Amino acid sequence: VTVSVLYWRIVVVVDPAMDDLPRILLLGLKQSGKTSIRKVVLQGVAPHETTFLEATSRIERSNAKNDFVEFNLWDVPGQEDITGDKTVDLESTLSKCGAIVFVLDCRQSLNQVQTEFNNAVKRLIESIVRVHKIKPTLCVEVFMHKIDALNEPQQMDLLRRVRQQVNEGVLARIDN
């Protein structure tokens, strides 16, 4: 399991015929910042303009293309756990998937909303375990969103705790 921060600048191309492109799933709990990240990174929207976005109610697909890469990004609503939903054909969904980016809202790691952050980490572990059963080589990246709201010692401690929880949680549940 890799915990890293991802950045890319891409031009968005909306073309349903491009569904055969490699797919990246953007997962995380509701209000973790998935849609804001998609709009800022792919559409060039200023971060402050994403503060009051409506909740995503269905999977929103964006085709992204630049000189080096072309892919289809699926912004999955946080209230949906597509890896645990029996009505979703996870095998088909993952067949063209090149990576999953799981977004954790680091502000939630602060005392008053720590339960929500712990729930997000649990969902991350569950997602990794379920995905591993179907596509063990699939890369799952963790985007530590809003980590700049924490001071440096808090950032380092949070990264260490998340790595440890995810590694222990996944290793305990995956058959070797």
Side-chain angles (χ1 to χ4, degrees):
V1 175
T2 304
V3 178
S4 60
V5 179
L6 308 172
Y7 298 98
W8 63 85
R9 175 66 61 191
I10 308 259
V11 175
V12 175
V13 179
V14 179
D15 180 0
M18 296 175 69
D19 195 40
D20 289 337
L21 293 174
R23 182 178 300 150
I24 296 175
L25 301 181
L26 195 55
L27 304 179
L29 293 188
K30 61 183 179 177
Q31 296 185 327
S32 60
K34 299 175 300 298
T35 303
S36 294
I37 291 167
R38 179 176 55 86
K39 289 190 174 285
V40 169
V41 175
L42 297 181
Q43 298 173 355
V45 173
H48 68 276
E49 293 178 17
T50 66
T51 305
F52 300 107
L53 292 175
E54 288 188 32
T56 304
S57 59
R58 59 181 173 71
I59 295 175
E60 293 185 10
R61 301 173 188 189
S62 302
N63 293 312
K65 178 181 180 177
N66 71 12
D67 292 339
F68 305 106
V69 68
E70 194 171 3
F71 62 90
N72 190 281
L73 181 70
W74 288 20
D75 180 358
V76 179
Q79 64 271 18
E80 290 185 30
D81 180 6
I82 67 165
T83 65
D85 186 343
K86 302 294 183 203
T87 65
V88 173
D89 181 359
L90 191 57
E91 194 165 327
S92 175
T93 300
L94 296 177
S95 68
K96 295 179 186 170
C97 190
I100 291 176
V101 177
F102 197 98
V103 179
L104 292 175
D105 182 348
C106 294
R107 290 181 311 169
Q108 292 177 337
S109 68
L110 301 174
N111 292 336
Q112 62 271 23
V113 285
Q114 199 162 17
T115 302
E116 192 71 18
F117 186 80
N118 291 337
N119 290 338
V121 174
K122 287 176 188 172
R123 166 93 62 94
L124 168 61
I125 293 167
E126 292 294 325
S127 297
I128 292 170
V129 170
R130 290 181 187 128
V131 165
H132 180 78
K133 289 177 182 175
I134 295 170
K135 195 170 181 180
T137 59
L138 185 63
C139 179
V140 178
E141 296 285 344
V142 177
F143 188 99
M144 305 293 287
H145 191 42
K146 304 172 193 159
I147 198 163
D148 56 333
L150 309 176
N151 63 39
E152 192 170 334
Q154 289 173 321
Q155 291 176 11
M156 297 284 92
D157 181 57
L158 183 61
L159 286 169
R160 181 194 55 75
R161 285 188 295 132
V162 169
R163 279 188 183 123
Q164 182 178 352
Q165 278 182 276
V166 171
N167 285 333
E168 289 174 359
V170 170
L171 291 175
R173 303 208 29 231
I174 292 181
D175 298 327
N176 291 324

